[in-house]
């Protein structure tokens, strides 16, 4: 499938900052630069002939180092992308972003965006001012994927170093390599070389238009959604929209000698949820386990994930999760488990059964 069919697709490139928009004092400097220094319009100028592949509009939404990404900006970004994709003349959106939290933003948008049109995120490991900057080619490839009919209905995609990943599966896996992203458990969805875009498979989990999660749904719509019958086993449609701040959900890690001090502090500060990055398949040090068990007794949603970086955390049912009131994260990393838990709680899902249903579905 090529993106050179006529008329050219109209793609809006939304800038949020990151190394792809980074600037250093000299071209030989690839560390110690300022992320998010350049406007998104300048990034487009660095891609030769971009207007022969798509009709491009650009729009800055933020200029940040993505380590400083906030949930408020996630909400604003999702709202803006929905508005852009609602335009009949817009075929897709590309989001330029820092690499550090890209996978979190991508999964948030994957759950919330309400359009089957392509949303493609990209980034770079070298600043825009560096020799052999990787941003321009990543941006070109992201635009070409966003303009491809083959990218429709696949949820939010991440295009990086010639590979196309699903937002649910992708992770940053190297602190310095130019090939910094992978989908550790599944492999990429596909790849792009110049005009050739190949998808090898589909992600099976529900996303975008197929999730019940909504931003700012008007009350009348929410009431209609809440009263609509759901079939057995189906996740209940969220009875209200996410129209304010997301709930407080934090991550704690299990390791040799860990205490329960962090968990107790989070509970005392009013945390709504805690994700634990357990050892191995989601095992938890007995001291941390005692703290988390008490947290669950006090109504805090507790999700068991793994710090390993690949593989699954299985729901161990009666053996302990059900008794302790824990949810298991399946194949989601602790960072993505946190995103889903925030969205699920903000949408009104409560209790182990409803929350586990969300983790088994999205
Ligand atoms: C950032 O995440 O904004 C800085 C690092 C990067 O983009 O590689």
């Amino acid at each position: 499938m090529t993106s050179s069919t006529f008329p050219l697709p109209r793609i809006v490139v939304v800038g949020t900052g990151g190394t792809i928009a980074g600037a250093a004092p000299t071209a030989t400097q690839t560390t110690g630069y300022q992320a998010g220094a350049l406007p998104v319009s300048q990034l487009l100028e660095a891609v030769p002939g971009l207007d022969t592949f798509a009709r491009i509009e650009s729009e800055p939404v933020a200029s940040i180092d993505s380590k400083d990404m906030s949930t408020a900006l996630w909400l604003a970004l999702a709202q803006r992308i929905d508005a852009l994709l609602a335009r009949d003349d817009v075929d897709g959106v590309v989001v330029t972003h820092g690499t550090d939290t890209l996978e979190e933003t991508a999964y948030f948008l994957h759950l919330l965006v309400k359009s089957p049109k392509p949303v493609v995120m990209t980034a770079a490991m070298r600043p825009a001012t560096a020799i052999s900057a990787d941003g321009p080619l990543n941006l070109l490839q992201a635009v070409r994927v966003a303009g491809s009919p083959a990218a429709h209905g696949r949820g939010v995609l991440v295009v990086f170093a010639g590979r196309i990943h699903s937002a649910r599966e992708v992770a940053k896996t190297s602190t310095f390599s130019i090939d910094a992203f992978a989908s550790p458990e599944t492999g990429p969805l596909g790849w792009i070389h110049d005009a050739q875009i190949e998808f090898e498979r589909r992600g099976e989990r529900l996303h975008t238009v197929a999730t019940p999660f909504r931003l700012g749904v008007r009350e009348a719509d929410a009431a209609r959604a809440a009263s609509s019958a759901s079939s057995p086993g189906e996740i209940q449609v969220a009875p209200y929209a996410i129209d304010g701040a997301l709930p407080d959900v934090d991550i704690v890690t299990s390791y040799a000698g860990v205490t329960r001090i962090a968990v107790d502090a989070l509970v005392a500060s009013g945390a709504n949820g805690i994700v634990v990055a357990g050892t191995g398949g989601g095992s938890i040090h007995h001291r941390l386990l005692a703290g988390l068990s008490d947290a669950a007794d006090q109504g805090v949603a507790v999700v068991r994930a793994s710090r390993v970086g690949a593989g699954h955390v299985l729901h161990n049912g009666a053996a302990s999760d059900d008794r302790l009131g824990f949810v298991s994260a399946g194949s989601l990393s602790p960072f993505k488990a946190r995103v889903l838990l925030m969205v699920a709680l903000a949408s009104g899902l409560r209790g182990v059964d409803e929350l586990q249903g969300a983790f088994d579905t999205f």
Side-chain angles (χ1 to χ4, degrees):
M1 183 66 61
T2 78
S3 58
S4 60
T5 49
F6 290 95
L8 289 176
R10 184 179 296 280
I11 305 297
V12 183
V13 181
V14 173
T16 68
T19 294
I20 193 168
T26 67
T28 50
Q29 194 171 327
T30 57
T31 60
Y33 53 85
Q34 188 192 339
L38 305 178
V40 60
S41 55
Q42 202 169 324
L43 309 189
L44 299 170
E45 287 164 17
V47 184
L50 188 60
D51 60 356
T52 63
F53 301 112
R55 292 169 291 165
I56 301 283
E57 288 177 27
S58 69
E59 180 169 316
V61 166
S63 303
I64 62 164
D65 186 319
S66 79
K67 71 180 174 56
D68 295 324
M69 182 52 68
S70 67
T71 55
L73 187 48
W74 279 351
L75 291 165
L77 191 57
Q79 236 153 19
R80 188 64 199 133
I81 291 170
D82 271 347
L84 289 169
L85 294 178
R87 277 172 48 187
D88 287 341
D89 65 333
V90 170
D91 298 295
V93 165
V94 167
V95 180
T96 58
H97 197 285
T99 60
D100 287 350
T101 58
L102 185 149
E103 68 211 61
E104 297 172 48
T105 304
Y107 187 48
F108 179 78
L109 297 174
H110 194 63
L111 295 171
L112 264 302
V113 164
K114 286 292 160 265
S115 173
K117 294 180 186 175
V119 176
V120 180
M121 298 188 65
T122 196
M125 288 297 282
R126 293 183 184 139
T129 50
I131 50 171
S132 301
D134 52 330
L137 183 56
N138 284 345
L139 181 53
L140 171 61
Q141 292 182 332
V143 166
R144 294 184 88 153
V145 171
S148 166
H152 271 245
R154 294 183 185 270
V156 174
L157 302 173
V158 173
V159 169
F160 202 92
R163 297 196 182 90
I164 308 169
H165 300 273
S166 165
R168 188 182 191 277
E169 297 155 359
V170 74
K172 185 173 180 179
T173 53
S174 173
T175 58
F176 71 96
S177 168
I178 228 57
D179 195 8
F181 284 83
S183 296
E185 195 57 21
T186 57
L189 292 181
W191 47 267
I192 168 170
H193 290 297
D194 296 338
Q196 228 179 319
I197 296 171
E198 295 282 350
F199 283 96
E200 307 292 354
R201 63 180 180 86
R202 282 188 172 274
E204 292 296 327
R205 299 301 187 106
L206 301 186
H207 56 73
T208 55
V209 292
T211 77
F213 308 126
R214 299 283 183 278
L215 287 172
V217 177
R218 286 173 299 122
E219 268 175 33
D221 294 342
R224 206 174 321 121
S227 65
S228 67
S230 59
S231 43
E234 190 180 287
I235 295 293
Q236 200 72 35
V237 172
Y240 54 80
I242 302 171
D243 56 3
L246 293 173
D248 288 331
V249 175
D250 289 279
I251 300 172
V252 297
T253 303
S254 189
Y255 46 84
V258 68
T259 70
R260 56 179 288 171
I261 293 171
V263 168
D264 290 341
L266 289 172
V267 174
S269 76
N272 304 102
I274 298 175
V275 174
V276 54
T279 39
S283 56
I284 304 169
H285 189 287
H286 64 89
R287 283 203 292 251
L288 199 56
L289 189 70
L292 290 165
S293 170
D294 289 348
D297 286 346
Q298 292 175 55
V300 177
V302 176
V303 175
R304 239 173 13 95
S306 171
R307 67 182 203 178
V308 168
H312 298 80
V313 173
L314 300 177
H315 193 70
N316 60 19
S320 85
D321 282 337
D322 287 347
R323 182 170 45 81
L324 296 167
F326 291 179
V327 171
S328 56
S331 56
L332 288 180
S333 70
F335 314 106
K336 289 188 185 171
R338 173 177 175 262
V339 172
L340 178 55
L341 185 55
M342 283 192 291
V343 168
L345 291 173
S347 301
L349 300 183
R350 294 289 181 271
V352 173
D353 288 351
E354 284 186 2
L355 292 173
Q356 190 64 58
F359 275 83
D360 292 345
T361 308
F362 306 111

